[in-house]
Amino acid sequence: MAEPILQFEAADLRSPDQPGRALLDVSFRLEAGASVVVQADQPSDLREEGDDTPPLADAAEGLIPCDQGQVLFKGRDWRQLSPFDQARNRGDIGRLFDFHGWVYNLSVLENMTLACHTHPSGSVSNPESRIRDLARRFGFDGVPPGRPVDFRRRELRIFEWIRALAFRRDLVILERPELDLPLSALDICFEMAQEARAAGSALLWITHDVEMVRRTVQLGSIAFVIRGRTWNRREETTV
């Protein structure tokens, strides 16, 4: 039996930016091609104002350690990997960031293909062509030239979706996927997410938006809920 892509085992997560806050006893498995959605009752359950580190997403990437329990990526505890192996494994993860997701001295297109050039496991023969093809699905004529500061926020959000899902990744983390996203683009984004699942990617959605939770559950996601520090499996009939 194959190892799950991502597994939290009774993990207590504490943000280094807000040491007094923690998410306790997080436990779930995420298999290849599967989807989990995590709903916070309030936005503040995901992130305190001024807190730049969302513990659940960063713990999934091994960027912050857990106080108790463990977080495994493809069957290995992040803490037991060397810094080189941690970086290499993060090349197998796509991420739609809540915010601060751009390198501002690079163009948008360079940002979107950066992982393909720096992580061999994410390499494709022509990443720029793949990016442009997906951009056209949203009505863009490819990716316009310019750095992130030259774009409107909703345009950047579409390009963030494309960056997260354009290439085959073992895990894709989607933080507050509804944020700044035009409604006209939502159906296309969900189509891309389903295409990623069909290709074997595991999806982890993190949101406080009830409609996003409902829609991901309709597409087969298992739902969990955060209330303050508490982590629970959510009954699908209540979504």
Side-chain angles (χ1 to χ4, degrees):
M1 184 175 179
E3 294 281 359
I5 298 297
L6 180 66
Q7 186 169 1
F8 282 70
E9 295 183 345
D12 291 353
L13 313 176
R14 194 176 306 276
S15 166
D17 298 316
Q18 296 285 339
R21 287 181 57 83
L23 182 57
L24 305 179
D25 198 27
V26 179
S27 296
F28 70 94
R29 294 165 58 96
L30 187 51
E31 313 286 344
S35 180
V36 159
V37 59
V38 178
Q39 180 196 355
D41 273 3
Q42 302 294 330
S44 59
D45 291 334
L46 294 177
R47 183 197 303 278
E48 284 286 285
E49 183 177 356
D51 179 0
D52 286 342
T53 304
L56 184 63
D58 278 358
E61 282 201 274
L63 294 170
I64 60 173
C66 52
D67 290 348
Q68 301 289 333
Q70 57 182 351
V71 180
L72 297 94
F73 182 65
K74 295 192 286 189
R76 301 184 67 185
D77 190 323
W78 280 111
R79 294 171 298 187
Q80 297 176 357
L81 298 175
S82 68
F84 174 81
D85 285 337
Q86 287 184 354
R88 181 175 55 80
N89 276 279
R90 290 183 191 118
D92 295 328
I93 300 174
R95 185 167 173 181
L96 176 68
F97 290 87
D98 191 344
F99 61 93
H100 297 325
W102 295 98
V103 179
Y104 282 91
N105 64 337
L106 299 179
S107 73
V108 167
L109 183 59
E110 288 170 334
N111 267 272
M112 296 169 78
T113 59
L114 183 62
C116 293
H117 298 306
T118 57
H119 294 283
S121 61
S123 297
V124 296
S125 59
N126 193 341
E128 290 83 2
S129 178
R130 169 68 172 161
I131 292 288
R132 292 189 181 98
D133 286 345
L134 290 176
R136 292 187 183 99
R137 292 172 65 171
F138 292 92
F140 292 98
D141 185 17
V143 180
R147 297 183 181 183
V149 294
D150 300 320
F151 291 79
R152 291 179 295 178
R153 187 69 189 93
R154 63 181 183 178
E155 294 172 332
L156 285 179
R157 195 59 171 171
I158 290 173
F159 291 134
E160 289 165 5
W161 268 91
I162 293 173
R163 178 179 58 183
L165 294 167
F167 309 109
R168 169 67 174 82
R169 300 285 187 250
D170 289 322
L171 172 66
V172 179
I173 302 170
L174 301 164
E175 297 176 69
R176 286 214 289 173
E178 73 287 348
L179 185 68
D180 295 320
L181 185 69
L183 288 177
S184 59
L186 188 61
D187 287 345
I188 301 171
C189 290
F190 269 89
E191 288 172 5
M192 291 170 52
Q194 288 298 89
E195 290 164 6
R197 286 186 63 186
S201 296
L203 302 187
L204 174 60
W205 308 73
I206 304 171
T207 183
H208 67 275
D209 186 272
V210 174
E211 177 60 22
M212 291 296 294
V213 176
R214 184 193 65 79
R215 187 160 180 172
T216 57
V217 167
Q218 286 181 336
L219 294 176
S221 295
I222 297 172
F224 295 87
V225 65
I226 299 171
R227 292 189 176 94
R229 295 186 175 194
T230 305
W231 172 274
N232 289 299
R233 172 74 180 267
R234 181 162 187 168
E235 294 296 330
E236 295 184 10
T237 56
T238 68
V239 175

